[in-house]
Amino acid sequence: MALGWLLCIAAAASAATPTEAIHKHEVIVAAIRTAGTPAAAYWKDFADRYERTGAGSVVFADPRAGQGQPGGVAEALRDGTVNLTVMPDSLVSELVPEFSILRLPGLVSSDLQVENSFRKCIQPILAPQFAAAGLVMLGPMRSGWLVVYGADAVATPADLAGRPFRKGLSPVTNGYLAALGARLVPVPYPEIATWLAVTPDGLGDFSLVELTSMARSKPPIRVLTLTRHGFFLGAVVADKDWHDGLGQRDRRALLDALPDQKQWAEDVAAYEQEYLAEARASGVTVTDIAPADQGKWAQTAAAYRESFLRGNGPRWHQLHDCIEGLPST
């Protein structure tokens, strides 16, 4: 998850009267992002839209208890102390491993394909797994491309061999990095900046959003390589028991209040460009994979996808084939 995320657990809202239980719901959201980021605008827009429906209001959880604890937000959802949150794909995949399918390199190539993969593949295929985890997935949130950054430029997959990479929660990304010969290093989130500061050749596999958030602290990142090998994603999820207790009117109001993916993608694109400019101003060299090297990345991506699918069950294959068959434009 990006360092900007503040994942927190709130106290339960005051008990509603029978009339309020029918006509008004307070939605307690346990995902807040630092000011000025797309997610902050996303949730403000969500709150405004939902309140305009007359269905209720949105209460943003503020106490930071549980921050950085894997599963803490999901436990809060199941405990009923929060109703709704957004989780990054790495955290969701702890509960529903197949959710990280979109981290397979080269599987998707556009925002349209990301959105359709949720609507047409991930939601219908993984609905039983989400239900078993006590969650309902309401929609996707895209936070940027996965990129590679560090002390030196990365032109080909071979450049990653032997390099230290932070071991994340996604089995797909970890597997891809290991297949490229990278050295996976467990580093807790609060210690990422310190790790980079003491690791001269430190590389990390993070989202562009996370990179640019950390760029403000000016860690020793000298080069950002836009490999664009996958998407960094989140999902808007709700507590299943709470969601099942809502009437159709309130469920509809929730869905109608969520900003569409076109708006979200535009916000993210603007955010990326803003922070790329800031990174350049901080002395970071921003490079893209040269056309002559793109074929090598495509070959390694194809080889990894094939080997990954061979080692996983039929649900992974079903998701892969469904997403691969979606139009990208």
Side-chain angles (χ1 to χ4, degrees):
M1 180 181 294
L3 289 179
W5 288 105
L6 301 180
L7 294 178
C8 43
I9 300 174
S14 300
T17 64
T19 300
E20 288 173 333
I22 296 173
H23 297 290
K24 181 177 180 178
H25 291 276
E26 284 191 334
V27 182
I28 305 176
V29 176
I32 306 173
R33 210 169 188 180
T34 50
T37 66
Y42 182 101
W43 284 115
K44 182 182 183 301
D45 188 58
F46 165 76
D48 291 345
R49 291 191 192 197
Y50 184 71
E51 290 176 9
R52 283 199 299 270
T53 67
S57 60
V58 177
V59 178
F60 291 103
D62 194 22
R64 301 184 186 182
Q67 183 181 352
Q69 296 178 8
V73 175
E75 291 163 9
L77 284 169
R78 287 194 290 262
D79 291 342
T81 52
V82 300
N83 306 140
L84 193 72
T85 189
V86 61
M87 293 183 187
D89 55 337
S90 56
L91 188 56
V92 177
S93 65
E94 282 196 302
L95 303 168
V96 184
E98 297 92 341
F99 183 79
S100 60
I101 187 75
L102 288 176
R103 290 222 182 188
L104 277 177
L107 180 58
V108 294
S109 57
S110 71
D111 291 298
L112 175 64
Q113 206 172 0
V114 169
E115 182 174 6
N116 284 339
S117 71
F118 276 81
R119 310 298 179 198
K120 299 181 180 181
C121 304
I122 292 177
Q123 280 182 320
I125 294 173
L126 296 182
Q129 283 67 43
F130 271 85
L135 305 175
V136 174
M137 185 171 65
L138 299 180
M141 290 179 67
R142 187 173 87 72
S143 300
W145 289 95
L146 286 170
V147 300
V148 173
Y149 65 88
D152 303 298
V154 174
T156 70
D159 294 334
L160 275 62
R163 296 276 189 163
F165 272 74
R166 179 177 177 270
K167 183 178 182 180
L169 299 175
S170 168
V172 177
T173 299
N174 290 339
Y176 184 47
L177 291 170
L180 296 177
R183 178 165 55 87
L184 299 180
V185 182
V187 182
Y189 269 103
E191 300 174 17
I192 290 176
T194 301
W195 177 63
L196 285 169
V198 300
T199 310
D201 61 345
L203 292 175
D205 183 49
F206 300 98
S207 72
L208 183 56
V209 169
E210 183 174 30
L211 162 77
T212 50
S213 296
M214 289 198 298
R216 288 187 164 178
S217 302
K218 295 181 176 57
I221 298 167
R222 294 200 297 267
V223 177
L224 163 64
T225 304
L226 303 180
T227 61
R228 302 183 188 278
H229 62 268
F231 284 93
F232 185 81
L233 301 161
V236 182
V237 294
D239 168 59
K240 186 177 186 302
D241 291 340
W242 171 80
H243 186 266
D244 288 351
L246 296 178
Q248 290 298 320
R249 173 176 173 272
D250 292 299
R251 292 189 195 182
R252 185 72 258 168
L254 277 175
L255 291 176
D256 289 345
L258 294 175
D260 60 41
Q261 289 306 299
K262 180 180 179 182
Q263 175 187 337
W264 179 241
E266 290 173 352
D267 287 345
V268 170
Y271 180 67
E272 288 174 345
Q273 292 307 309
E274 172 189 342
Y275 280 99
L276 277 175
E278 183 174 332
R280 290 188 178 100
S282 300
V284 176
T285 301
V286 179
T287 67
D288 215 329
I289 298 300
D293 295 317
Q294 288 175 357
K296 297 176 183 177
W297 287 92
Q299 289 173 3
T300 60
Y304 175 67
R305 284 170 59 183
E306 183 179 349
S307 65
F308 181 88
L309 289 172
R310 278 200 306 267
N312 286 278
R315 196 178 296 115
W316 287 95
H317 288 260
Q318 184 183 9
L319 282 165
H320 175 273
D321 294 347
C322 180
I323 295 169
E324 189 179 44
L326 294 172
S328 60
T329 58

